[in-house]
Amino acid sequence: MDYDIKDINLADEGKVSVEWANKSMPVLNSIKKRFEKEKPLKGVRLGACLHVTTETASLMETLKAGGADISLCASNPLSTQDYVAAYLVKYHEIPVFAINGEDTETYYRHINSVLDGKPALTMDDGADLVSTIHGQRRELIEGIIGGTEETTTGVIRLKAMAEKGVLAFPLIAVNDANTKHMFDNRYGTGQSTIDGIIRATNRLIAGSTFVVCGYGWCSKGLALRASGMGANVVVTEINPMSALEAVMDGYRVMPIAEAAKIGDFFCTLTGDISVIRKEHFLTMKNGAIVANSGHFNVELEIEGLKEISTYTGRIRNYIDEYTLEDGRCIYILGEGRLVNLAAAEGHPSSVMDMSFANQALASEYLVKNSRDLKNIVYSVPEDIDREIARLKLESMGIHIDTLTPEQEKYLNSWEIGT
Ligand code: ADE
């Protein structure tokens, strides 16, 4: 079996951590049990490009239990947990192509290694498999049933492709499921981003001015958690509706040019390019800490920062210092890549449980319904989304009410008014 990982001897360490994560993934585990019996993915070649974490290992075990023939590469050069890669190779014989810290060339070589397995299903986090297939590996298209996409940025890329009429197979936007973005993006990103910033810096959040760029689901979670730790949160936005929401949620809202002057911490989560630029770095306070928790490392204009710096160097794990001409220092965390995965371990297992339950069930849905699907971006079917919420509540021992027949009738009628 072909694979490319850091060190197979890390496998036992990985095993302990994956088992720990698994304890918080009851929904995925229940799907795994069913998959073991029903084998809905029997013989399906599945190429996955995901953050190689303990939670991803649980998903891989589930898909394999369902009969899939999997290969896996990383969806970010800095997010691979090398012991997980080793664990999957040694204990599950899954070909993994991922090494933490890999350079761009290796990153794409690994993507191509997964594609060499001629997947019938793709599973992406950021759409790099799909875009490589549509760009350089078009010969694979005819063998592909469809794919799934985990994240907001990837879904935006796919919808742009569908809009232009170039999407060559059906895709399911896992991110659009309520049981994904309302929980993973908000509470997962909120907690894991704070976790990454604290692990990297060990700085006090309380009393600081914490600038959150963007106010989508991920940013909302981060603003909530930073505020909960005592920070004065400032939000920057380009969308009037989201900006208004941030105002009514109790945060100060202003342009990044103003926020740049007052922030102690900055974190971008917009999905867009060049959000914090050279002109903003130039006005920051000495000691400003700047991170990104959006999918790609394009939100901070690090090249621009380099141009105005007299010194750059790594001063501590995950922290690069940039000294400006007047002696002020700016600190960039995790090279401007996803700070929650670069400096911490990504979202907690309990929330990935729902995201990856969506991935597993969306794959099953694609296989079952492949003949009826068009080359567009689909949402996860509502009944799947709702069932995941039900299973999660059940696993938490939480019971809810059901409609009485009278209530049901009332909701389906229009005659009864004041
Ligand atoms: N994305 C964010 N957190 C993650 C995790 N723990 N595993 C896989 N993908 C993630």
Side-chain angles (χ1 to χ4, degrees):
M1 182 181 85
D2 196 17
Y3 62 86
D4 191 18
I5 60 171
K6 184 163 185 209
D7 181 1
I8 193 75
N9 295 314
L10 298 172
D12 289 343
E13 207 186 320
K15 185 167 186 285
V16 176
S17 287
V18 173
E19 282 167 3
W20 172 247
N22 236 321
K23 290 182 200 296
S24 300
M25 304 186 81
V27 178
L28 192 62
N29 281 323
S30 69
I31 294 169
K32 183 178 171 195
K33 273 204 192 112
R34 178 171 68 77
F35 274 18
E36 263 159 8
K37 275 194 243 131
E38 297 177 9
K39 304 276 177 210
L41 306 176
K42 192 159 189 261
V44 175
R45 286 188 310 277
L46 191 154
C49 178
L50 300 170
H51 301 296
V52 181
T53 65
T54 50
E55 293 76 25
T56 297
S58 296
L59 174 61
M60 295 300 111
E61 287 177 36
T62 304
L63 299 169
K64 189 154 183 188
D69 181 2
I70 311 164
S71 55
L72 171 68
C73 63
S75 58
N76 184 294
L78 291 189
S79 62
T80 298
Q81 295 167 358
D82 290 312
Y83 58 28
V84 170
Y87 163 75
L88 287 170
V89 170
K90 177 164 172 189
Y91 286 99
H92 293 282
E93 291 175 6
I94 292 175
V96 181
F97 304 90
I99 300 173
N100 190 301
E102 62 195 15
D103 59 20
T104 307
E105 192 204 318
T106 312
Y107 177 79
Y108 280 101
R109 180 159 49 76
H110 285 162
I111 284 184
N112 277 298
S113 299
V114 163
L115 295 180
D116 289 343
K118 298 193 170 56
L121 274 187
T122 63
M123 187 174 281
D124 253 320
D125 186 334
D128 279 344
L129 281 183
V130 168
S131 80
T132 306
I133 291 166
H134 283 74
Q136 298 87 53
R137 300 293 302 264
R138 296 195 66 83
E139 81 280 4
L140 299 173
I141 288 172
E142 66 170 352
I144 298 179
I145 298 172
T148 61
E149 170 53 53
E150 170 78 4
T151 201
T152 318
T153 295
V155 171
I156 290 170
R157 291 176 91 186
L158 298 178
K159 286 186 177 165
M161 291 170 82
E163 193 110 309
K164 292 200 170 89
V166 297
L167 199 59
F169 47 88
L171 264 299
I172 296 188
V174 164
N175 187 69
D176 289 358
N178 288 323
T179 46
K180 201 284 185 177
H181 65 262
M182 284 172 62
F183 304 95
D184 168 315
N185 299 28
R186 180 166 42 177
Y187 304 114
T189 308
Q191 178 166 325
S192 62
T193 301
I194 290 279
D195 186 14
I197 292 172
I198 292 176
R199 286 197 206 193
T201 65
N202 195 27
R203 285 278 167 86
L204 187 68
I205 307 283
S208 69
T209 297
F210 198 115
V211 179
V212 177
C213 298
Y215 205 62
W217 286 101
C218 295
S219 305
K220 279 181 202 168
L222 177 58
L224 193 65
R225 293 296 169 249
S227 173
M229 293 188 78
N232 296 298
V233 172
V234 170
V235 171
T236 72
E237 249 300 338
I238 48 85
N239 178 329
M241 205 64 76
S242 309
L244 188 58
E245 209 181 352
V247 171
M248 300 254 173
D249 283 345
Y251 305 121
R252 279 187 293 164
V253 174
M254 60 185 78
I256 183 63
E258 278 174 47
K261 296 177 201 153
I262 60 173
D264 299 301
F265 294 94
F266 294 83
C267 189
T268 50
L269 313 91
T270 70
D272 208 348
I273 196 165
S274 301
V275 176
I276 300 185
R277 302 183 289 276
K278 184 158 68 174
E279 67 261 31
H280 306 132
F281 288 121
L282 269 172
T283 63
M284 283 183 187
K285 293 196 289 192
N286 182 32
I289 289 167
V290 186
N292 165 54
S293 209
H295 185 79
F296 287 120
N297 60 334
V298 294
E299 306 207 18
L300 309 178
E301 211 181 70
I302 295 182
E303 283 308 311
L305 178 58
K306 271 189 200 145
E307 284 168 24
I308 54 171
S309 299
T310 55
Y311 166 83
T312 70
R314 177 129 327 157
I315 55 159
R316 180 180 148 102
N317 277 346
Y318 314 116
I319 306 187
D320 292 332
E321 179 177 296
Y322 291 79
T323 312
L324 307 189
E325 262 172 24
D326 63 2
R328 271 176 300 146
C329 292
I330 290 168
Y331 299 107
I332 300 284
L333 306 188
E335 300 171 22
R337 295 192 185 274
L338 284 162
V339 71
N340 61 336
L341 281 142
E345 293 169 74
H347 304 349
S349 319
S350 165
V351 86
M352 294 311 296
D353 188 27
M354 289 189 279
S355 310
F356 284 168
N358 274 292
Q359 285 285 9
L361 297 182
S363 307
E364 179 184 32
Y365 180 86
L366 276 171
V367 171
K368 277 195 182 143
N369 297 282
S370 61
R371 268 192 233 122
D372 305 322
L373 299 176
K374 300 194 196 79
N375 297 346
I376 57 174
V377 181
Y378 288 89
S379 296
V380 173
E382 210 177 308
D383 55 333
I384 293 183
D385 202 3
R386 210 181 276 247
E387 176 63 3
I388 291 171
R390 195 192 65 73
L391 287 170
K392 190 70 180 174
L393 280 173
E394 189 177 274
S395 76
M396 296 163 97
I398 294 169
H399 305 283
I400 60 170
D401 293 317
T402 48
L403 292 173
T404 64
E406 185 198 15
Q407 287 173 323
E408 188 138 11
K409 187 173 166 210
Y410 178 77
L411 290 178
N412 287 314
S413 68
W414 53 270
E415 298 92 342
I416 307 168
T418 307

